[in-house]
Structure formats: structure tokens, C-alpha cells
Amino acid sequence: MPGLISRQERFDVVGSTNDIVRGWLADGTPEVCLAIADEQTSGRGREGRSWTAPAGSSLLLSLGFRPRWLQPEHAWRLAAVVSLAMADAVDAAIGGAWGTVRLKWPNDLVVAAGDRVRKLAGVLGESDGLGTDDPRVVIGIGLNTDWAPDDFPAGLADTMTSLRALTGHSIDNEAVLGSLLADLGPSVEELREGRFDGPGWAERQVTTARDIDLIGSDGSRTTVRADGVDTETGGLLVGDRSVMVGEIAHVRLASPARSAV
């Protein structure tokens, strides 16, 4: 979509691309603005968790929106369409069939092989002023691209992956970024027109029809069957209720994971 990006800057090292873009929006920069970094020293995920990666190993970026055209209760859809666009871009980069890359509610991109799920990327959405005349939303992504498997942190090596690990060769981050923006433009335009690809977002979910562990901020664990996702609220459907992002700290596939027959 021509004209999608109003401002784009690349940095060698920053604390957090989300913080860069949040500052731009606060200073009046119009949407959609984009910050990209080779390395973050203070990257973060949900619940205040830290996120680190070796310099040059990942595609680290944040997109800033001023969604006056989106109902506050639907602001989560910005993270959803960014995740879908990234999933399509990664499918193209690895030469996989559509849907090779899945979404793990609420904020991960993963590759699933049977009962094994490995994390490929994390998505972090942050907002200010929703429901006012100056809503601001920042969507950050950390995608493991050229991270060699031998360099994975020991404690995460069994649960993470990278594009290099999946393909066996180095990855062109610029090509992945170009594919992301090409897919994202039409999706953002659809949101502006009041349309959202809820079925596509739901179809990508790896948790649907699986037993999962809901882990609370206090460490409590509840094993339930995930029935799908609610395309109106963005919640995880579990039985007769919808679990919202703020209610839990982690979602993990139960061990052993069991798919519906």
C-alpha cells in the first residue's frame, strides 16, 4: 500500500523500539511510523518480561498507529493484523505452505510439528489514550531471523527456533520486512473501513482444539481445552467463557499436548 509508512528510521542499537515509536507518537508523528533496530538493550515482552537477542540475529521493529478510526475495544486487532502479515511474510521467506507459521494466543508466532511447538517471534502491543481523541497504539515484533541454532540460549534451545534454523541458510531481513509491509498495507486499510479478517486470524491459532495450561501471575496452573478465539473481543474461548489477555501470565500447550480427534 503506497504511503503506509509516514516515518521510518533504522538504528544500530536502542533500548526499545517500542519506546522510540511511543515517543514519536507523543510528539505528534502521524501514523504509521516504523522503527527498526539491529539490537535492543531493553527489549521487553508481556508482563514486564525481558527480551534479548544477539546483535543482527533478529528483525526487531515497532509500528505506531493513531487509530481514531478504530473502536477502543477493537484496538487489539492491530496486533492481530500485524501478526497475520508477519506470518504470511515468514511463510514466504521459508518457502512453506500457507499456514506453516501459526499464532499462539495471545502474542507469539510459532512453528508446530506434531505436539512440538517452537517460538519464532513475539508480539507486544502497548497503548495510550484509547477512548480519547488522541489514541496511540504501538505494536512491537521480535522475529528470530539469522539466529544460529548453536547460539540459542541453553534454557530456551528446546522451545525456540529461527528462520535460519528452519531453512539452513542466512536470511535477508530486508526481504522479510518488505513482505510484511506489503501484506500489512491492505490489512490496515480494511480495518480503517471496518473490516477484519477474523476467520483468518482464528484459523492460524495453534491452541484451538488442544489442551492448554493457563498460568496465572501467581504461578497457578489450570489445564483446559481451548475451543477457539473470539473475533469480537480477542479473547481465548474456553468452554462457556472467554479468557482475556490480562487474566493470565502464560498460555502453554499442555504436556503431552493432545489434539482433538
Side-chain angles (χ1 to χ4, degrees):
M1 172 186 169
L4 173 68
I5 303 300
S6 68
R7 176 179 182 178
Q8 176 176 327
E9 291 190 34
R10 178 179 294 277
F11 303 87
D12 291 332
V13 182
V14 298
S16 162
T17 54
N18 265 33
D19 290 343
I20 294 290
V21 170
R22 173 177 277 177
W24 289 350
L25 292 174
D27 289 341
T29 301
E31 64 175 29
V32 176
C33 47
L34 168 64
I36 311 155
D38 292 328
E39 183 179 6
Q40 293 185 123
T41 59
S42 302
R44 59 184 179 270
R46 286 187 62 246
E47 301 289 314
R49 294 186 287 270
S50 62
W51 195 96
T52 59
S57 69
S58 305
L59 179 58
L60 308 173
L61 63 89
S62 294
L63 293 146
F65 299 87
R66 294 182 177 280
R68 298 183 181 94
W69 36 269
L70 192 61
Q71 293 296 318
E73 63 269 22
H74 289 159
W76 65 269
R77 290 179 174 176
L78 285 167
V81 298
V82 171
S83 297
L84 283 171
M86 182 59 86
D88 285 342
V90 173
D91 277 346
I94 65 177
W98 183 92
T100 298
V101 177
R102 309 290 297 280
L103 306 180
K104 185 172 80 67
W105 189 93
N107 67 326
D108 290 341
L109 275 69
V110 301
V111 176
D115 289 340
R116 296 292 301 276
V117 171
R118 291 180 179 266
K119 182 173 177 177
L120 184 63
V123 179
L124 176 66
E126 298 179 315
S127 64
D128 295 291
L130 293 182
T132 73
D133 60 358
D134 186 25
R136 287 163 274 161
V137 174
V138 180
I139 308 297
I141 294 183
L143 172 70
N144 302 330
T145 54
D146 208 30
W147 199 334
D150 289 345
D151 296 332
F152 290 171
L156 300 175
D158 291 338
T159 60
M160 66 178 287
T161 190
S162 68
L163 300 192
R164 183 170 176 178
L166 293 171
T167 63
H169 58 73
S170 294
I171 296 298
D172 182 354
N173 281 0
E174 292 304 311
V176 178
L177 176 62
S179 293
L180 166 67
L181 297 180
D183 283 346
L184 184 61
S187 297
V188 171
E189 187 61 29
E190 287 182 357
L191 278 186
R192 287 180 174 139
E193 295 172 354
R195 293 177 287 129
F196 168 61
D197 183 15
W201 179 68
E203 188 175 356
R204 283 271 191 176
Q205 301 295 324
V206 74
T207 50
T208 300
R210 288 182 181 264
D211 291 337
I212 60 171
D213 291 331
L214 299 180
I215 303 171
S217 57
D218 60 355
S220 61
R221 182 186 302 260
T222 305
T223 301
V224 296
R225 173 57 63 112
D227 297 319
V229 285
D230 187 335
T231 59
E232 179 61 29
T233 67
L236 179 71
L237 295 175
V238 176
D240 60 356
R241 70 188 183 103
S242 181
V243 178
M244 305 306 292
V245 172
E247 297 178 43
I248 48 91
H250 297 278
V251 173
R252 294 180 180 144
L253 297 186
S255 181
R258 297 185 297 277
S259 299
V261 177

